[in-house]
Amino acid sequence: MLGLGKLNLIPGERKKEEFNEETRVELQKKLDEVVAILKSEISSYYLYKDISARVKTVESANRKLITRKIDSWRELSDYCGAAIIIHPLKTTEEVMEILRNLHKTNEKCKNFKIVQEEIKGPKDSSQFAYRAIHCDALYGDCKIEIQVRTCYQDIWNCISHQAYELQRLKGYDQAHSLPRELHQISSLLEISEEICSSTIRQHGKEVPDVGDTIDDTDELKLLIAKKLKYNGPINDWEFNVAYEALKSKNKIKTEEVEREWKEFASKLKGNDHNNLIFKFSEYIILGQSFDPNSPSNTKLIVDVLNRFEKVLNIRSLLG
């Protein structure tokens, strides 16, 4: 159970369940559990930046209790919060689908559920303002506000929040009265986002289905990042080599790739693996005798790279 805040029993006042440091530490443990699960389920393929999270400070939480005349911190919906910032060529709906089904896809998340979703945006469609999807989630008895927004929406969030804070420092409290120049930035960001969305609709690929033949590197990325839940960096040169390695062994059916990936992943120890997709290529070429946890063997690496020299992205290698 979560630690309880101190109860103030002052004559003439209602009972107050205050937010204290002990409570905050317990909530942080819960939030860390959820973030670890989110990182394991939401591939970096979707993300513009790492998932961030925070528990409200003791000062901030108790200020809300007083200003909102709330008896208990448990009545707040945002004492825990997480932000998921989406890559420009992905959509918030893709990530929302993952969140909605988290209790089905992860054993540790049977007690996780989305209880409410709200699309944030201007009431008047002719205006520009903060936009995002805010979710109220429950993880056991812990409430978490999860904000899902694109990188463009996040840029606007940072700009407008900073402008708002600067106004308050000058003695103003006009959150909805930002300078026209800032709204022009918002319009440009929204146009950029729409161009990306249009690009996805016209050129986006579906995840290869069971029995499909993988025809190119992009389809391999989709399969490993979405279905097989790879959460590392998406480096073109690694995937180019992996695709060519699979093709050379005639293993480009989805079920064959999935089987090879699961066998490879079962050999991994720990989570800190650099160039993991390239190690997968080595595994495909060298067979089950290859140990991805062993120190890198320069000769083996060069031998594998030389096989697929034509598909290497030299700039990525140099970087």
Side-chain angles (χ1 to χ4, degrees):
M1 293 294 292
L2 297 174
L4 294 177
K6 176 183 174 185
L7 291 176
N8 276 351
L9 298 177
I10 301 174
E13 286 195 353
R14 294 174 294 179
K15 293 180 181 180
K16 296 283 186 182
E17 190 177 10
E18 295 175 348
F19 192 84
N20 59 32
E21 193 58 39
E22 180 186 357
T23 301
R24 191 174 187 277
V25 169
E26 290 299 315
L27 287 170
Q28 188 66 59
K29 292 177 183 177
K30 291 276 188 181
L31 186 58
D32 288 345
E33 289 176 18
V34 174
V35 170
I37 292 169
L38 292 177
K39 287 183 177 181
S40 71
E41 294 293 321
I42 302 174
S43 168
S44 58
Y45 179 80
Y46 296 104
L47 302 178
Y48 179 70
K49 60 173 72 170
D50 200 16
I51 296 172
S52 61
R54 62 98 185 102
V55 179
K56 273 192 178 299
T57 63
V58 174
E59 295 83 358
S60 179
N62 283 297
R63 176 182 60 81
K64 275 199 168 184
L65 293 183
I66 292 170
T67 57
R68 296 186 181 183
K69 303 187 186 307
I70 295 173
D71 290 337
S72 169
W73 61 267
R74 297 178 190 276
E75 297 177 48
L76 298 173
S77 63
D78 63 345
Y79 51 73
C80 285
I84 303 173
I85 313 304
I86 309 303
H87 188 278
L89 291 176
K90 308 298 176 286
T91 66
T92 53
E93 182 56 30
E94 288 178 283
V95 170
M96 285 305 304
E97 273 301 301
I98 295 173
L99 294 178
R100 293 179 193 123
N101 293 296
L102 211 54
H103 64 289
K104 300 177 184 176
T105 58
N106 192 304
E107 282 291 318
K108 296 178 182 177
C109 267
K110 288 184 177 178
N111 61 346
F112 176 93
K113 63 178 179 179
I114 302 292
V115 295
Q116 184 176 338
E117 296 177 26
E118 182 181 2
I119 299 176
K120 296 284 187 177
K123 294 180 180 179
D124 185 343
S125 61
S126 66
Q127 296 178 341
F128 297 98
Y130 171 73
R131 292 179 299 120
I133 299 176
H134 285 200
C135 308
D136 289 337
L138 277 178
Y139 182 64
D141 60 351
C142 178
K143 294 179 186 175
I144 305 168
E145 182 190 76
I146 302 176
Q147 299 180 4
V148 182
R149 52 182 177 263
T150 67
C151 66
Y152 297 111
Q153 293 166 351
D154 190 55
I155 292 169
W156 175 245
N157 178 53
C158 294
I159 292 172
S160 58
H161 181 72
Q162 182 76 348
Y164 169 61
E165 291 301 325
L166 288 171
Q167 284 181 334
R168 293 191 66 181
L169 285 173
K170 294 176 182 178
Y172 302 106
D173 189 3
Q174 300 178 20
H176 305 291
S177 182
L178 295 174
R180 172 179 168 78
E181 290 81 2
L182 288 184
H183 286 291
Q184 289 177 318
I185 293 174
S186 176
S187 68
L188 292 172
L189 289 169
E190 196 168 316
I191 290 168
S192 299
E193 186 177 315
E194 180 54 39
I195 291 172
C196 283
S197 297
S198 175
T199 301
I200 294 169
R201 289 192 295 270
Q202 292 180 40
H203 305 291
K205 292 191 174 185
E206 296 293 327
V207 182
D209 205 351
V210 176
D212 285 351
T213 297
I214 300 172
D215 293 323
D216 57 31
T217 304
D218 286 340
E219 289 184 354
L220 179 62
K221 287 180 187 176
L222 280 169
L223 183 68
I224 291 180
K226 285 189 171 184
K227 186 175 180 182
L228 305 182
K229 299 174 184 174
Y230 166 64
N231 285 288
I234 304 292
N235 294 328
D236 283 340
W237 75 268
E238 287 190 275
F239 277 92
N240 287 342
V241 172
Y243 174 67
E244 294 298 326
L246 287 163
K247 194 162 64 170
S248 72
K249 296 293 183 178
N250 198 29
K251 294 181 178 180
I252 50 176
K253 288 281 188 181
T254 49
E255 57 266 32
E256 292 168 339
V257 177
E258 186 170 354
R259 182 174 61 251
E260 294 290 341
W261 177 264
K262 286 181 177 178
E263 289 178 359
F264 166 74
S266 70
K267 290 177 172 288
L268 296 173
K269 298 174 183 176
N271 299 314
D272 186 20
H273 292 279
N274 293 318
N275 303 127
L276 192 62
I277 301 300
F278 180 69
K279 288 181 183 291
F280 178 52
S281 302
E282 292 180 274
Y283 175 76
I284 295 300
I285 295 298
L286 303 173
Q288 294 192 6
S289 61
F290 174 71
D291 180 6
N293 305 291
S294 62
S296 298
N297 183 316
T298 303
K299 184 177 184 306
L300 284 178
I301 290 172
V302 171
D303 285 347
V304 172
L305 290 173
N306 279 332
R307 291 191 188 207
F308 309 111
E309 183 181 2
K310 290 182 179 179
V311 301
L312 291 176
N313 182 329
I314 302 301
R315 287 187 180 178
S316 293
L317 280 174
L318 294 175

